[in-house]
Amino acid sequence: MKLTYLGHSTVVVEEGPFKAIIDPFISGNPSSKLKLSDIKNLTHIFITHGHGDHIGDSVELAKINDALVITNAEISDYLSDKGIKIHAMHIGGRFKFDFGTVKMTPALHGSGIKTEKGMLYGGNPGGFLIEVNNKKIYHAGDTGLTMDMKLLEPENIDVAMFPIGGNYTMDIDDAVIATEFVKPKIVIPIHFDTFPVIKADPNEFKEKNKESDTVILENGESYVF
Ligand code: NI
Ligand code: MN
């Protein structure tokens, strides 16, 4: 499996013909170097919650790639008139797709969708456990530290992606505790440095994380396992 970090919370997941992007925040992301047309052959798009830096370019990418969007029921409803393919899930639900298995996990956060008509209700924010070919990853979405993460330890997660930027989500110290709860083999820090209020040093997380190995990815870098 190949995981490519595109800055903020955006991660591309590739395993055989499966090519997914999680929380595609490209065109509005000040740290992004890519054009949407650079992202090709996507089969799936995962959206953890309704905030603009996570829904991001989902609609346009879904159209360009004819990719299936997987997100919670409320965001699915919001996207239902946009002419794209959608699969609605919700917190705690697990589903077997043709490529593998997905479970939506809880996140402590908000999920409002900002539109021209005001803020729409975006359901509960979440994260995703994605298993393909016996390789299991966990993208936590935007979340504060929560005891619910202890329920993920028996999942035997290979790679967890945790926000470390603070202010809106866990900071470094909370992400260290989250790592102790989840016990993944590898942690990739995400959701930091995009904006001044979420500045954080991933090397500090790496030093403090004694539970798992930390893999720090620069924007555009990949980790293969
Ligand atoms: Ni958010
Ligand atoms: Mn965010």
Side-chain angles (χ1 to χ4, degrees):
M1 181 177 281
K2 182 176 171 187
L3 302 174
T4 304
Y5 184 50
L6 297 181
H8 204 56
S9 278
T10 309
V11 180
V12 175
V13 185
E14 291 171 87
E15 173 72 23
F18 173 74
K19 183 174 180 183
I21 194 165
I22 307 171
D23 287 353
F25 181 49
I26 313 289
S27 60
N29 181 353
S31 65
S32 184
K33 305 164 190 163
L34 291 175
K35 294 193 294 281
L36 291 188
S37 53
D38 294 332
I39 302 170
K40 295 190 183 85
N41 304 316
L42 288 177
T43 57
H44 297 80
I45 298 171
F46 293 84
I47 307 170
T48 60
H49 65 290
H51 292 163
D53 56 324
H54 296 262
I55 288 188
D57 303 296
S58 293
V59 171
E60 197 161 359
L61 284 173
K63 283 181 180 166
I64 296 170
N65 293 277
D66 194 30
L68 177 69
V69 173
I70 300 170
T71 186
N72 76 22
E74 289 79 7
I75 297 169
S76 296
D77 244 29
Y78 161 71
L79 295 174
S80 63
D81 64 352
K82 313 253 185 253
I84 56 178
K85 298 183 292 182
I86 304 161
H87 181 107
M89 294 184 70
H90 232 306
I91 309 295
R94 202 186 291 264
F95 188 76
K96 248 190 165 124
F97 291 84
D98 53 0
F99 61 84
T101 306
V102 177
K103 185 177 187 181
M104 270 203 89
T105 56
L108 269 186
H109 195 64
S111 186
I113 306 165
K114 198 174 169 184
T115 71
E116 286 157 13
K117 296 173 195 154
M119 191 68 85
L120 298 180
Y121 177 64
N124 287 317
F128 290 101
L129 267 178
I130 304 170
E131 183 174 12
V132 187
N133 286 346
N134 296 316
K135 289 164 189 172
K136 199 182 277 187
I137 61 168
Y138 169 45
H139 188 295
D142 278 4
T143 185
L145 179 63
T146 154
M147 291 295 283
D148 290 347
M149 289 170 175
K150 286 199 170 183
L151 296 171
L152 296 176
E153 188 192 332
E155 295 281 351
N156 292 315
I157 291 162
D158 293 299
V159 180
M161 289 153 274
F162 286 142
I164 63 160
N167 192 67
Y168 305 111
T169 68
M170 299 192 285
D171 59 12
I172 286 170
D173 290 336
D174 282 353
V176 169
I177 298 170
T179 305
E180 288 162 3
F181 285 176
V182 176
K183 300 194 184 348
K185 292 187 189 84
I186 304 280
V187 178
I188 298 174
I190 60 172
H191 211 271
F192 63 96
D193 280 2
T194 322
F195 314 112
V197 289
I198 60 170
K199 256 202 129 14
D201 180 2
N203 289 298
E204 183 188 334
F205 173 80
K206 187 174 186 159
E207 273 162 38
K208 289 182 171 174
N209 172 20
K210 312 286 184 213
E211 179 67 46
S212 307
D213 289 334
T214 303
V215 173
I216 299 169
L217 295 179
E218 297 286 328
N219 192 329
E221 265 188 345
S222 300
Y223 174 70
V224 179
F225 67 103

